Amino acid sequence: MSKVLVIAEHLDGKLNASTARAVSAAVAVKPEVIDVVVLSDAPEVVAAEAAKIVGVSKVLTVARVENAHALAAILAPQIAKLAAGYTHVFAPSTTFGKDVAPRVAALLGVSQVSDVMSVEAARRFTRPIYAGNAIVTVEADASSVVVATIRTASWPAAASTGAAAVEAVAIDVALPTHTRFVGLQQGKSDRPDLQSASKVVSGGRGVGSKENFEIIYKFADRIGAAVGASRAAVDAGYVPNEMQVGQTGKIIAPELYMAIGISGAIQHLTGIKDAGTIVAINKDAEAPIFEVADLGLVGDLFKILPELEQAL
């Protein structure tokens, strides 16, 4: 009998949409039970959101003052203790999940399955390797708990029309004291979140400078899109690194992705392979981005973008 425990990701009292995507992957396992665990100092509001996710059997809350901030060193021992009654432990393959899941796997003495793209069987999954150039099938040992991170770009978010029960649980486990929360530094923006936006406009090295990047922001605001960037643009200092899209940045799957002045290095293409429609604008007709683009326009972005904006 399969039982899946999904680790809820949340911040500032709000459930991250990645949790609903992890639940979709859990449903594909076809288990008898899918439980979501919310670890927080005050988990009630987040738990109420999680309880609405279709497919969830029960939401477990672990309320401890130590859980006020998502520190992997603090959360992992609690999750590992709770995992004793489950066959699978899933977390979204986000910064949060990539931080917590390896510690949980280590405490359980198992190998982690990373970036699950599809579920072939209860213990058999596919995941990308070589920067997404190949897809490998991996199978977890039948005698151990499956700890996996879910590639959120490959899974739709489960609907929010459910009504699961919420249950408070107490976990008797000693927590480490060598890690403490100092502060959280994060970019603030009125634009849509890059990882969950349905439309994304990204700029690359071809934009030319930090000042020139304003043309990308202006166009994105015109169509209500989030703003991303290639690694080259980040390395050049045009934008902060939280905007980077690609293998070493954010993996996204918007309905519309516009690559402006981006050549299309394999590292970048890895991050957008699940996008719905890809539009490329580049003055180099031989740029690799045109090989994956659904629509491509060769020309000067500083001439084309104002014309597009005027047409809109």
Side-chain angles (χ1 to χ4, degrees):
M1 181 179 75
S2 296
K3 293 180 64 178
V4 182
L5 179 67
V6 176
I7 306 168
E9 177 177 358
H10 57 91
L11 181 65
D12 297 333
K14 295 182 179 179
L15 186 70
N16 192 294
S18 63
T19 305
R21 296 178 184 271
V23 170
S24 290
V27 170
V29 175
K30 298 179 180 177
E32 282 75 14
V33 172
I34 299 175
D35 291 343
V36 173
V37 59
V38 178
L39 299 104
S40 174
D41 58 335
E44 293 78 16
V45 175
V46 175
E49 281 191 78
K52 296 178 182 178
I53 301 175
V54 173
V56 174
S57 308
K58 186 188 302 181
V59 176
L60 307 176
T61 61
V62 183
R64 294 181 66 152
V65 66
E66 297 94 335
N67 294 337
H69 305 288
L71 299 178
I74 302 299
L75 302 183
Q78 301 174 71
I79 296 167
K81 184 82 171 181
L82 191 61
Y86 295 87
T87 57
H88 299 67
V89 177
F90 283 180
S93 190
T94 56
T95 301
F96 166 79
K98 291 175 181 178
D99 193 26
V100 173
R103 286 180 177 266
V104 175
L107 290 170
L108 294 174
V110 301
S111 298
Q112 176 184 299
V113 180
S114 302
D115 291 328
V116 170
M117 294 180 66
S118 68
V119 176
E120 305 295 312
R123 293 178 175 272
R124 191 165 65 250
F125 315 93
T126 64
R127 62 177 298 268
I129 59 172
Y130 303 131
N133 281 317
I135 307 299
V136 65
T137 300
V138 295
E139 189 157 357
D141 188 275
S143 62
S144 61
V145 177
V146 177
V147 177
T149 57
I150 306 303
R151 182 183 167 95
T152 53
S154 300
W155 297 90
S160 297
T161 55
V166 178
E167 177 184 328
V169 296
I171 301 176
D172 183 18
V173 60
L175 300 180
T177 58
H178 60 73
T179 301
R180 61 190 176 88
F181 178 80
V182 175
L184 175 63
Q185 296 182 3
Q186 59 181 150
K188 296 291 185 182
S189 175
D190 293 331
R191 297 184 179 91
D193 176 67
L194 180 57
Q195 284 196 290
S196 59
S198 62
K199 292 176 286 188
V200 174
V201 177
S202 284
R205 195 201 309 269
V207 177
S209 69
K210 182 177 182 179
E211 291 71 27
N212 286 349
F213 220 87
E214 284 300 321
I215 196 172
I216 303 296
Y217 291 128
K218 185 179 178 183
F219 184 76
D221 291 343
R222 182 67 181 83
I223 65 172
V227 179
S230 67
R231 179 170 180 170
V234 171
D235 288 347
Y238 300 170
V239 294
N241 59 10
E242 62 260 27
M243 290 172 59
Q244 183 177 324
V245 173
Q247 183 184 7
T248 53
K250 290 182 170 66
I251 308 295
I252 60 175
E255 295 174 16
L256 171 66
Y257 184 76
M258 297 187 69
I260 315 296
I262 295 175
S263 62
I266 186 61
Q267 187 277 141
H268 187 78
L269 299 184
T270 298
I272 63 169
K273 65 181 300 180
D274 294 306
T277 299
I278 298 175
V279 177
I281 299 174
N282 200 297
K283 65 181 180 181
D284 179 9
E286 303 300 319
I289 191 69
F290 289 120
E291 296 179 13
V292 300
D294 299 287
L295 298 169
L297 189 56
V298 179
D300 183 353
L301 69 91
F302 296 103
K303 179 182 179 182
I304 293 172
L305 280 188
E307 289 178 352
L308 280 176
E309 194 171 343
Q310 186 176 5
L312 288 169

